[in-house]
Amino acid sequence: MTTETQHASGNGLSRFNIFVVLLIPLVWTFEASAIGPALGSIIEAFPSATPLQAKLVMTMPFITAIIFSAVSGALARFVDRKVILIIGLLIYGITGMLPAWLNDINQILFMRLLTGVGVGLVSPIPNAIITERFEGEPQRRLLGMTSSISMVANVIASLVSGALLAYGWQYPFYTFAIVFVVALLALAGTPSALPHQDVRKSRLKDLPGSVYALFAFMSVNFAIQSIITTSVAIFMISEHIGEPWMIGIVISFPGLACFLISPFYPEILKVLRSLVVPASFLLYAIGYYILAHAGTVIIVSLGAFLVGVGNAALTPHILAMTSGRINSAQRDAAFGVVTAGIGAGIILSPFFQSFAGTIGGTEAPRFIYLVATGTAIVLALIALALSRNSKHVAVHE
């Protein structure tokens, strides 16, 4: 990492600083992966809840995360990023655990909404720090690693939550205690950044239109990717595939794929170049087609893994494109907006599934997976057509 740039104060990052910055993405989508395996049990515990309400238990935090991700970027003009980060993590951990003591589905949904405030405040900060301190291939590799590390949390949280379900639907919420550990490390090792009150272009309204296009792109990416995490538990229970404790293992496979693949994003970019986007959507299509016809845990896991591979290439690609379309004054606000697309996509996913189910006359997971297959194929073809004329992230600086 010899191309590390210097902070405004003239000091570079220590290895511990880099470790902490890369640790923060552990909580990016933790609030979803920790609860995903419990959806089937939550439906059983609250029989009056609709399937949409059950899915919203997992996705509700992302409603406020969208707003507060953008707020986080805007606040960085006036407040040290480190302060924003610590406050966000404390909100995240406290409200993440509280649903374990609630017995009303609407109260749980409200508390999950508050969890999104913490999620949003935290999410943009690692990418802003990385793009501020690094450039070129080291920057792209670290952006890939943020996606990889966030998926480590998905794998671990899914496995632990699946095991904890043996004790009751409440127990997965206790996994949010890990957020307090991250907060302590962040307090010790996150580099401070002086607010840029005098920088006019860091305001949201001054961002280039391409940033908002990338927000939409990230939203579409996660709307498709999240179909699997919001439906696999229900799918496996309704189709009697495997045992309940296996759900956590299966849901961990998309995260495992990102963990293995995302660090190699620079190499993927060198090989695929302008085909990164269509290839990613094609992997989504293959993965969901396999899921639509799956009848065993192994086949379900294979489909889930391929969906994860698509996300492993596409997410860092979107982040890298963001970095290439902004100046240093726009960094915090831009990553606040684009990172909000993760939450927007996860929120849109259950509504997309409900809409497809209404049109098709069924919300059966197999049908939804076929719809996801067709949608991904269409997006791959559109991306292939656009790739001939679009400007992409340069392979070489």
Side-chain angles (χ1 to χ4, degrees):
M1 298 181 181
T2 57
T3 59
E4 177 183 336
T5 60
Q6 299 297 307
H7 186 268
S9 65
N11 297 320
L13 297 181
S14 69
R15 290 185 177 180
F16 181 64
N17 291 146
I18 296 172
F19 168 76
V20 171
V21 169
L22 289 175
L23 188 67
I24 296 168
L26 281 172
V27 300
W28 270 359
T29 56
F30 185 88
E31 72 279 19
S33 58
I35 304 306
L39 291 184
S41 297
I42 290 174
I43 289 177
E44 292 177 351
F46 298 95
S48 62
T50 66
L52 179 59
Q53 281 181 309
K55 291 176 182 178
L56 286 175
V57 170
M58 191 179 82
T59 59
M60 185 65 82
F62 296 100
I63 295 175
T64 41
I66 297 171
I67 299 170
F68 281 87
S69 183
V71 168
S72 177
L75 281 177
R77 297 175 60 217
F78 309 101
V79 183
D80 189 331
R81 285 192 202 121
K82 186 171 183 176
V83 174
I84 299 170
L85 176 63
I86 299 304
I87 292 174
L89 287 170
L90 290 176
I91 295 172
Y92 195 164
I94 293 169
T95 61
M97 293 184 69
L98 282 176
W101 290 279
L102 301 177
N103 294 300
D104 180 85
I105 191 69
N106 291 319
Q107 291 177 355
I108 292 172
L109 289 174
F110 176 72
M111 195 55 57
R112 296 285 286 164
L113 197 66
L114 295 181
T115 302
V117 175
V119 176
L121 291 175
V122 169
S123 295
I125 293 176
N127 291 326
I129 294 173
I130 289 169
T131 55
E132 178 182 67
R133 304 292 187 122
F134 297 88
E135 56 187 16
E137 184 168 319
Q139 180 193 101
R140 290 193 289 270
R141 191 173 301 281
L142 287 172
L143 289 174
M145 289 180 68
T146 60
S147 297
S148 175
I149 291 169
S150 72
M151 293 305 169
V152 170
N154 284 1
V155 173
I156 296 173
S158 296
L159 293 174
V160 172
S161 294
L164 289 176
L165 278 176
Y167 303 96
W169 66 267
Q170 302 96 331
Y171 281 80
F173 290 100
Y174 294 133
T175 60
F176 283 84
I178 192 65
V179 176
F180 297 110
V181 177
V182 176
L184 288 174
L185 290 170
L187 183 63
T190 303
S192 296
L194 295 176
H196 302 284
Q197 298 184 39
D198 59 333
V199 181
R200 296 180 180 178
K201 289 190 177 180
S202 63
R203 294 174 299 181
L204 294 176
K205 68 178 182 179
D206 293 314
L207 293 175
S210 58
V211 169
Y212 294 97
L214 289 167
F215 161 80
F217 191 4
M218 187 72 87
S219 300
V220 171
N221 174 33
F222 273 85
I224 296 176
Q225 189 272 341
S226 297
I227 290 173
I228 187 169
T229 52
T230 56
S231 65
V232 160
I234 298 171
F235 175 50
M236 291 179 66
I237 289 175
S238 63
E239 296 284 338
H240 306 289
I241 298 175
E243 300 295 330
W245 61 267
M246 296 178 179
I247 295 172
I249 296 176
V250 173
I251 290 181
S252 73
F253 271 88
L256 177 63
C258 283
F259 171 66
L260 296 174
I261 303 299
S262 289
F264 300 100
Y265 165 66
E267 287 74 22
I268 293 172
L269 182 62
K270 288 177 181 178
V271 173
L272 294 179
R273 296 177 180 267
S274 63
L275 297 179
V276 170
V277 177
S280 298
F281 281 126
L282 183 59
L283 283 166
Y284 277 147
I286 295 172
Y288 280 117
Y289 183 80
I290 290 173
L291 282 164
H293 296 85
T296 66
V297 172
I298 293 176
I299 301 302
V300 173
S301 300
L302 174 62
F305 186 83
L306 289 176
V307 169
V309 173
N311 188 46
L314 198 52
T315 298
H317 191 63
I318 296 171
L319 295 174
M321 286 194 291
T322 303
S323 178
R325 285 160 171 75
I326 57 175
N327 58 44
S328 59
Q330 298 167 332
R331 183 178 295 111
D332 289 289
F335 277 106
V337 169
V338 175
T339 306
I342 296 175
I346 294 173
I347 290 170
L348 288 172
S349 187
F351 290 101
F352 169 76
Q353 294 173 59
S354 293
F355 176 76
T358 300
I359 298 299
T362 177
E363 289 191 43
R366 291 189 189 277
F367 173 75
I368 299 299
Y369 294 152
L370 286 174
V371 173
T373 300
T375 302
I377 290 173
V378 171
L379 290 171
L381 293 174
I382 293 173
L384 183 62
L386 293 176
S387 66
R388 299 178 179 179
N389 300 315
S390 300
K391 181 180 179 181
H392 293 273
V393 178
V395 175
H396 302 289
E397 293 294 320

